[in-house]
Amino acid sequence: MTCIVILLVCLIVVLSLNHAYKRTNAYFNQYYPHWDFNQKNVEKIIILGSTYSRYAFEGFKYLRIKHTNFTLNSQSVEDTYKNLKNVESKLNKNIVILSLAPCTLMYEGEGMFRMPGTTKANLKQKVKFAFPILNPKRLLKLISDESRYCDIYDARTQVNSQNEAEKQMKALVDIWKQSFALDDLMNDNLPAKVLKTIKKNIEWLSRIIDICEKHECKLVIIIPPFSDLLNKHMSKDFVDKALLTPLEGMISQHKNIHVFDYRRNEDFQSINDYLDGGFILNRNGSQKFIDRVNESLNLNLSNRKFGLDY
């Protein structure tokens, strides 16, 4: 009987601490991008993609344009499809913006964290999400909390020097080379496993297109910009083989799909538009980029069209 009482007391303490931690700024900041998935409805504009899609379009907030951002770190194309599939019943002539990077189609994303409730969230991931306090280090945040992020840009330090930007871009390229077993990002002779993954991801993209066409959504596929410090590590032949050629082959079978490639756009080659010097746009870079997308698509984003309260 005593053991049962002790266990109950311990359980109550853990649950209480867990509840308290979930009310901290630290918890909010830790899962900042996930809160978009809790929206009951979807907005007229829906953003899909992975890490750099979030940074590219977070500026919608500062332009006061309502949107729903379904991006998480290291999302695969399959994850992106499932994020859209989960809200399919709510779609009706939306503008769906899907961001792709040159390495996106080579990525499967096995083992990455998924939102609980998705098919790939394992038990360990669900428990980790539901009971963050099981990490004892987080108890310290109950004593000394941190400031709440205003947006995703607050979570990273702005790179200001050319030297540091070059280092970060080199490190990013090294990660991609290791992830896909590549010697560099210049050679278009891709491994058989990578080519198989590209083919599989094209099939997932095709499913995304099918959903959009079924609900009369305007699908816009966008390749956000890189700075010259990152672009110099990738050859045209590599980007063609890894992304553009398979993408063009797939969309040729569909109508009314807009594709815009801003990767080498001359207005975004400086490190000043990026947090890391070349891959993820900063707050100002995002707003500038959204303005450019608006001009290219002639979306006429305005308070009258989208019901914004200025």
Side-chain angles (χ1 to χ4, degrees):
M1 183 64 179
T2 303
C3 291
I4 295 177
V5 172
I6 293 175
L7 287 174
L8 285 174
V9 170
C10 290
L11 179 61
I12 292 172
V13 170
V14 171
L15 291 176
S16 298
L17 291 173
N18 196 61
H19 178 72
Y21 177 75
K22 285 186 172 182
R23 297 171 66 86
T24 64
N25 292 334
Y27 178 70
F28 177 89
N29 294 342
Q30 181 184 359
Y31 293 113
Y32 176 87
H34 295 71
W35 309 134
D36 292 284
F37 289 77
N38 293 330
Q39 295 181 20
K40 293 182 179 179
N41 299 304
V42 295
E43 299 292 347
K44 181 73 174 181
I45 298 176
I46 298 173
I47 309 299
L48 300 176
S50 190
T51 311
Y52 97 137
S53 182
R54 164 71 64 167
Y55 287 89
F57 292 101
E58 186 79 353
F60 269 129
K61 175 188 294 185
Y62 294 91
L63 297 173
R64 302 186 71 181
I65 296 171
K66 293 182 179 180
H67 67 290
T68 300
N69 197 328
F70 286 139
T71 62
L72 291 176
N73 289 343
S74 304
Q75 289 277 275
S76 66
V77 181
E78 179 183 355
D79 294 327
T80 299
Y81 160 76
K82 290 179 178 177
N83 289 337
L84 187 63
K85 183 68 176 177
N86 285 339
V87 297
E88 182 178 0
S89 62
K90 302 175 182 178
L91 299 178
N92 181 27
K93 299 182 179 180
N94 302 77
I95 297 171
V96 179
I97 297 177
L98 169 62
S99 292
L100 299 177
C103 294
T104 299
L105 298 183
M106 301 192 295
Y107 179 65
E108 289 187 273
E110 292 300 324
M112 298 304 298
F113 176 79
R114 269 86 180 182
M115 283 294 291
T118 64
T119 56
K120 284 193 174 182
N122 59 41
L123 180 60
K124 181 179 178 180
Q125 290 169 333
K126 291 179 181 179
V127 170
K128 180 180 177 181
F129 185 80
F131 300 100
I133 204 63
L134 293 180
N135 182 344
K137 293 181 180 179
R138 291 177 181 149
L139 288 170
L140 297 175
K141 296 300 181 180
L142 297 177
I143 302 172
S144 178
D145 201 0
E146 58 192 51
S147 299
R148 177 171 289 207
Y149 296 157
C150 294
D151 55 43
I152 199 70
Y153 308 110
D154 292 339
R156 299 182 68 110
T157 302
Q158 174 73 49
V159 169
N160 293 312
S161 74
Q162 190 84 359
N163 185 50
E164 182 59 30
E166 289 182 353
K167 288 181 180 179
Q168 291 210 23
M169 293 304 96
K170 175 64 166 54
L172 180 60
V173 169
D174 287 342
I175 291 173
W176 286 338
K177 289 193 299 184
Q178 181 178 1
S179 298
F180 308 119
L182 303 173
D183 293 329
D184 53 46
L185 304 183
M186 305 297 287
N187 193 333
D188 66 348
N189 185 22
L190 304 180
K193 181 180 179 180
V194 169
L195 293 174
K196 183 178 179 180
T197 300
I198 290 175
K199 183 178 180 180
K200 185 188 300 183
N201 280 327
I202 285 294
E203 293 173 358
W204 287 118
L205 275 178
S206 182
R207 296 185 187 187
I208 291 173
I209 292 174
D210 289 342
I211 291 177
C212 290
E213 290 181 340
K214 179 179 178 181
H215 299 280
E216 299 181 62
C217 295
K218 182 175 185 176
L219 177 62
V220 184
I221 297 177
I222 290 179
I223 305 169
F226 287 173
S227 77
D228 57 357
L229 294 184
L230 184 53
N231 278 321
K232 70 180 183 180
H233 291 282
M234 297 182 178
S235 72
K236 180 182 182 301
D237 289 343
F238 171 81
V239 176
D240 285 347
K241 186 70 171 287
L243 176 63
L244 297 181
T245 299
L247 181 61
E248 289 169 0
M250 186 264 299
I251 64 175
S252 65
Q253 304 172 36
H254 300 269
K255 297 180 180 179
N256 302 320
I257 297 177
H258 303 267
V259 180
F260 292 90
D261 184 357
Y262 296 93
R263 189 172 62 88
R264 290 185 173 274
N265 187 285
E266 60 182 13
D267 293 332
F268 294 91
Q269 294 308 296
S270 167
I271 68 171
N272 296 329
D273 290 317
Y274 302 85
L275 276 170
D276 58 357
F279 180 54
I280 54 175
L281 290 166
N282 57 28
R283 188 181 287 108
N284 292 332
S286 172
Q287 292 178 64
K288 186 170 86 171
F289 177 57
I290 290 170
D291 283 340
R292 189 60 48 82
V293 172
N294 182 26
E295 292 172 3
S296 299
L297 291 175
N298 194 25
L299 294 178
N300 296 317
L301 300 180
S302 68
N303 58 324
R304 184 164 56 87
K305 185 173 183 178
F306 289 98
L308 299 185
D309 180 13
Y310 281 85

